[in-house]
Amino acid sequence: MTQLTSFGDAKLWPLYVFFGNQSKYKRAQPSAHLCSHAAYFQTASLPDNFKDFVLELSGGKLPSDPFFMHCHRELFQAQWQEILDDEFIRAYEHGIVLTCPDGIERRLFPRIFTYSADYPEKVLIANIRNLGACPCPRCIIPKDRVHNLAMERDTLQRQILARKDTKERRDKITAARRLIYEQHYVVDAPQVEVLLKEESLVPTKNAFSKRLGHTGFDFFDELVSDEDDSTDSDSNDLVGAMYYDSEDDQLEDGTEDFDSENYKF
């Protein structure tokens, strides 16, 4: 979390990007300046005028906390959808032709390997409930089995019960959202809870799933376990890489399609 001013409580979450192609020993050296500051997320709180907007629509009655938590999740995912825009998806799917230091033009493909964050941020990324019945962002081990942590059985259960961005998961969320947005149930209505509560899901669509799901990307795989998360807990950190596809180096006419547009990574 970044405090923006000396006075007041305005805060934002920064997003930093590392390129996995670079040596991890260099990336671990702050003096190497290999960490790219990519974005700020407004996640600490909803905009100041949002409550006024809600009060106006609800006839002066303030909704429950689950409603505002839902809006909080929606805001976070909406910001990621802006980052994962059409230019990025185009680069992810078709690559970018760039001239490398050796003078050869190659088609490079950006890939996301890890998303490092502390638990409250992982909860937002994974679209699960904070300390819910299945509190882990990477698996659906229930809370009553947490005491098995670090045991051999725990390692096996993590593999068997790993979270996956499956069609079944997405269908549950779609059905829950239909109840909320079309049939006007409240966010924590029993009809919604019966669909989501068992696996600690929430009725929010994931930006990574929506934008990259068709490529086979599973956003649960990018979340590193806590023992692997050694970065600043007050930030979001992405580690990505650029892949080179030698078979796709030239186009059908034998020339390079060098696109001079600026792409986001």
Side-chain angles (χ1 to χ4, degrees):
M1 193 76 68
T2 298
Q3 185 83 24
L4 299 181
T5 61
S6 299
F7 302 95
D9 57 356
K11 298 178 181 179
L12 295 173
W13 280 352
L15 171 68
Y16 299 106
V17 176
F18 295 85
F19 280 91
N21 304 73
Q22 296 166 323
S23 168
K24 66 179 181 180
Y25 302 105
K26 288 291 185 181
R27 283 188 275 118
Q29 297 176 6
S31 59
H33 302 292
L34 297 181
C35 174
S36 301
H37 184 190
Y40 277 118
F41 291 105
Q42 181 175 345
T43 56
S45 61
L46 294 166
D48 294 336
N49 60 351
F50 182 73
K51 284 188 177 181
D52 296 333
F53 170 75
V54 172
L55 283 171
E56 182 180 346
L57 292 181
S58 61
K61 183 179 179 181
L62 203 62
S64 61
D65 289 340
F67 168 82
F68 286 104
M69 189 65 239
H70 174 68
C71 295
H72 188 191
R73 299 187 191 102
E74 293 285 307
L75 175 62
F76 180 72
Q77 295 297 333
Q79 291 173 89
W80 259 116
Q81 287 196 54
E82 290 296 315
I83 296 174
L84 302 174
D85 60 8
D86 291 341
E87 287 184 318
F88 179 87
I89 301 304
R90 179 183 172 189
Y92 193 94
E93 292 181 334
H94 305 293
I96 315 167
V97 178
L98 297 176
T99 302
C100 297
D102 59 4
I104 298 176
E105 291 183 344
R106 295 183 174 89
R107 189 180 301 274
L108 305 178
F109 294 82
R111 290 295 181 264
I112 300 172
F113 283 153
T114 64
Y115 194 144
S116 175
D118 62 5
Y119 183 76
E121 294 163 322
K122 286 179 181 177
V123 166
L124 284 175
I125 300 160
N127 288 139
I128 65 170
R129 306 174 188 217
N130 189 10
L131 298 176
C134 300
C136 179
R138 293 169 54 89
C139 67
I140 54 173
I141 294 178
K143 192 183 296 184
D144 59 8
R145 296 190 200 172
V146 172
H147 64 278
N148 293 326
L149 185 66
M151 295 183 180
E152 185 175 349
R153 72 180 70 173
D154 177 63
T155 302
L156 180 61
Q157 287 176 345
R158 288 192 193 199
Q159 297 172 357
I160 297 174
L161 300 176
R163 291 188 185 272
K164 293 294 180 183
D165 184 23
T166 61
K167 183 179 183 300
E168 180 184 5
R169 187 199 72 86
R170 294 192 295 268
D171 287 346
K172 287 181 179 179
I173 293 173
T174 299
R177 291 176 67 86
R178 191 175 294 117
L179 288 172
I180 295 169
Y181 290 101
E182 296 180 10
Q183 300 184 34
H184 309 296
Y185 285 92
V186 295
V187 175
D188 57 343
Q191 293 85 345
V192 176
E193 293 287 86
V194 73
L195 292 170
L196 306 177
K197 189 173 182 179
E198 183 180 4
E199 295 183 4
S200 292
L201 300 176
V202 295
T204 299
K205 290 186 176 180
N206 187 276
F208 288 95
S209 177
K210 184 176 180 179
R211 300 293 286 158
L212 293 172
H214 66 282
T215 67
F217 181 84
D218 191 327
F219 64 92
F220 289 116
D221 293 337
E222 68 180 348
L223 298 174
V224 296
S225 57
D226 289 339
E227 59 265 25
D228 296 329
D229 185 358
S230 58
T231 57
D232 182 359
S233 62
D234 291 334
S235 65
N236 295 259
D237 302 280
L238 279 182
V239 176
M242 298 293 288
Y243 275 111
Y244 163 54
D245 187 348
S246 59
E247 296 181 358
D248 197 22
D249 202 16
Q250 290 187 332
L251 302 183
E252 293 180 359
D253 60 359
T255 62
E256 295 286 351
D257 179 22
F258 184 79
D259 195 335
S260 60
E261 294 183 41
N262 292 321
Y263 289 93
K264 300 174 185 176
F265 300 96

